[in-house]
Amino acid sequence: MVNLLTRQAILFLVLAVAQAVVLGRIHLFHCATPLLYVYFVLMMPRNFPQWGVLLWSFALGLTIDIFTNTPGLAAASMTLIGVLQPYLIELFVPRDSAENLEPSLTTLGPVKYANYAILLTLLYCLVFYSLELFSFYNILHWVLCVVGSTLLTLLLIFTFEIAGAKGNE
């Protein structure tokens, strides 16, 4: 358990610093921003207590909000996907799998992991940009932000997953 918490804390710090220093400054075509910190919630193990997922998710969202000047947007969106993650992971994990399964490309398989990652990332981007724009006046811009950020974030997530899978071989 200590090993898991240490790994979670290190991942928390790395993703928060990467988002605040580098990724938060990238805005492709003024709409697509990589939101890699969603990867933190994707990697939460199956048996992790739900209150722990909520606490970690909210803390990471609040940290991102503090450093990127998005008051409450990331915290609210991360808390929502933190609430839904334990239920969504059960949709993609085989029933006979280990209780402490950590979702990844190798443990779930490419199709199930892709569906899991796409669902959570898309949900996060929908909520984040709906709260940020707080209006559907320019719906095309909203759609471009949601789709562009989702695709860019998924590209980074799959890059890290593939690199991690090759590193474990």
Side-chain angles (χ1 to χ4, degrees), residues 84-138:
L84 297 176
Q85 188 266 352
Y87 301 109
L88 292 176
I89 196 170
E90 292 300 324
L91 295 175
F92 300 104
V93 172
R95 296 204 188 274
D96 59 345
S97 63
E99 283 296 316
N100 60 350
L101 177 84
E102 293 183 22
S104 70
L105 200 58
T106 55
T107 58
L108 292 180
V111 174
K112 286 185 178 183
Y113 185 76
N115 289 334
Y116 170 66
I118 290 168
L119 185 62
L120 268 178
T121 306
L122 180 62
L123 184 64
Y124 178 82
C125 289
L126 278 169
V127 172
F128 184 84
Y129 285 108
S130 294
L131 290 174
E132 183 184 45
L133 298 176
F134 207 66
S135 164
F136 293 111
Y137 177 71
N138 193 351

Side-chain angles (χ1 to χ4, degrees), residues 2-163:
V2 173
N3 188 22
L4 176 64
L5 290 176
T6 304
R7 199 170 61 219
Q8 291 291 99
I10 291 170
L11 184 62
F12 181 99
L13 289 173
V14 167
L15 289 175
V17 168
Q19 187 68 35
V21 175
V22 178
L23 299 174
R25 305 200 190 291
I26 298 171
H27 304 291
L28 293 178
F29 309 112
H30 298 288
C31 34
T33 302
L35 305 168
L36 186 60
Y37 52 93
V38 174
Y39 187 52
F40 185 80
V41 176
L42 287 173
M43 292 187 60
M44 287 287 186
R46 181 179 183 191
N47 69 339
F48 206 78
Q50 190 167 7
W51 65 267
V53 175
L54 282 174
L55 188 64
W56 279 105
S57 300
F58 176 75
L60 182 57
L62 187 61
T63 304
I64 297 299
D65 283 335
I66 289 169
F67 289 110
T68 60
N69 197 23
T70 54
L73 297 178
S77 304
M78 286 291 285
T79 303
L80 176 68
I81 65 168
V83 167
L84 297 176
Q85 188 266 352
Y87 301 109
L88 292 176
I89 196 170
E90 292 300 324
L91 295 175
F92 300 104
V93 172
R95 296 204 188 274
D96 59 345
S97 63
E99 283 296 316
N100 60 350
L101 177 84
E102 293 183 22
S104 70
L105 200 58
T106 55
T107 58
L108 292 180
V111 174
K112 286 185 178 183
Y113 185 76
N115 289 334
Y116 170 66
I118 290 168
L119 185 62
L120 268 178
T121 306
L122 180 62
L123 184 64
Y124 178 82
C125 289
L126 278 169
V127 172
F128 184 84
Y129 285 108
S130 294
L131 290 174
E132 183 184 45
L133 298 176
F134 207 66
S135 164
F136 293 111
Y137 177 71
N138 193 351
I139 198 156
L140 181 61
H141 181 68
W142 176 77
V143 169
L144 288 173
C145 286
V146 169
V147 172
S149 294
T150 300
L151 292 174
L152 199 53
T153 303
L154 286 169
L155 178 70
L156 288 174
I157 288 171
F158 289 128
T159 301
F160 283 120
E161 279 295 319
I162 291 169

